[in-house]
Amino acid sequence: MQTEKTFSDGYFSSKLLETLDHIEYRRIESHEDFEDIARLRYRAYKAHNVLPVAVSSMLDEIDFDSHAYVFGVYYYEELVSTLRIHYVTPEHRVSQSSGIFPDAINAFLDAGLTLIDPARFAIDAEFANERSTLPYLTVRPTIMAAIHFDADRMLQHIRPSHAAFYRRFFYADTVVPPTMTKTYGFELTLLASRTREIRSKLMRRFPAFQSEAFERRLMFDRSARFEMSPLTILPTARIAVRPDSPEMAYVT
């Protein structure tokens, strides 16, 4: 049984890297790109019947928060998925999860922890099936953010039916059990991964989640060194998995 599981993980890990060769990431900042993201969100949420109650726009105020990073994922230069990531600190508490589970999020922050909160995950229906690699590569920036900001936890506020996936693949712990939410009108649960504890296991299991430091800077650095955001960001996983790469320090 262990041999079968290892083979399965190895095959899928190779498939992730093969798909990643044709992926580009873009940090969304222009008005036109945000409109594309809003349309993709709407199509994906409507297809899965998870549109927020009384929604008037698929863009919201915290898309433009100073600690928010909205990404488009382009496969063969076509926008196929998107994700928003918030870097949440005790001094800056804006995030999607804090609006749904404020007590749990404030408990983390009051303890001095820093959090990566991914939200607004949306993927083109053509690539949303369970065997697709696109969902995994869409959440790849979440792991990169946890490394870049050296955050304590990666959060997952999700439907209860998805909890087993996050416990298996991201070694997540349940923080809040399934709870009915007013925002969506259905149950959500809150999970969290202990980023420093799981990093080596995650990187060994899925080398596609590895990255070079310069790719992470292109993703998340907003300092004066960049006069404007790069148009596209090419993944560096294949470089990072070299035995002589300094990024292999994350898997030792």
Side-chain angles (χ1 to χ4, degrees), residues 167-236:
R167 284 195 292 265
R168 178 186 174 193
F169 286 95
F170 294 99
Y171 310 100
D173 304 313
T174 299
V175 178
V176 179
T179 304
M180 181 60 68
T181 61
K182 294 181 180 179
T183 303
Y184 293 94
F186 52 74
E187 285 189 332
L188 290 177
T189 182
L190 179 67
L191 279 65
S193 302
R194 300 171 183 265
T195 56
R196 298 186 189 91
E197 295 179 19
I198 71 166
R199 187 178 296 171
S200 61
K201 292 189 292 184
L202 190 60
M203 296 300 181
R204 284 193 182 97
R205 191 176 184 188
F206 300 114
F209 288 154
Q210 294 187 40
S211 59
E212 293 275 271
F214 73 83
E215 183 189 357
R216 298 193 294 272
R217 287 194 296 270
L218 289 173
M219 287 276 203
F220 301 106
D221 197 336
R222 283 179 170 154
S223 66
R225 79 176 74 187
F226 298 118
E227 294 182 2
M228 62 178 63
S229 298
L231 180 60
T232 58
I233 303 166
L234 298 178
T236 59

Side-chain angles (χ1 to χ4, degrees), residues 14 16 25 45 58 68 78-79 169 194 204 219:
S14 297
L16 283 172
Y25 295 95
Y45 293 0
M58 292 312 299
E78 178 183 356
L79 177 65
F169 286 95
R194 300 171 183 265
R204 284 193 182 97
M219 287 276 203

Side-chain angles (χ1 to χ4, degrees), residues 130-166:
E130 291 183 0
R131 295 187 178 184
S132 172
T133 55
L134 264 298
Y136 296 81
L137 299 179
T138 302
V139 301
R140 179 174 175 266
T142 307
I143 294 102
M144 296 171 64
I147 297 172
H148 180 80
F149 294 110
D150 194 26
D152 297 290
R153 299 285 190 278
M154 293 188 302
L155 303 177
Q156 300 99 15
H157 65 272
I158 53 175
R159 302 193 80 162
S161 60
H162 298 159
F165 167 84
Y166 283 93

Side-chain angles (χ1 to χ4, degrees), residues 22 52 55 102 139:
H22 307 287
V55 64
V139 301

Side-chain angles (χ1 to χ4, degrees), residues 22-36:
H22 307 287
I23 291 289
E24 297 176 352
Y25 295 95
R26 181 181 298 179
R27 196 168 79 197
I28 303 301
E29 295 192 342
S30 74
H31 177 74
E32 292 80 7
D33 285 342
F34 267 111
E35 288 185 342
D36 290 340

Side-chain angles (χ1 to χ4, degrees), residues 72-83:
V73 181
Y74 293 78
Y75 183 53
Y76 286 102
E77 301 183 353
E78 178 183 356
L79 177 65
V80 294
S81 61
T82 180
L83 183 74

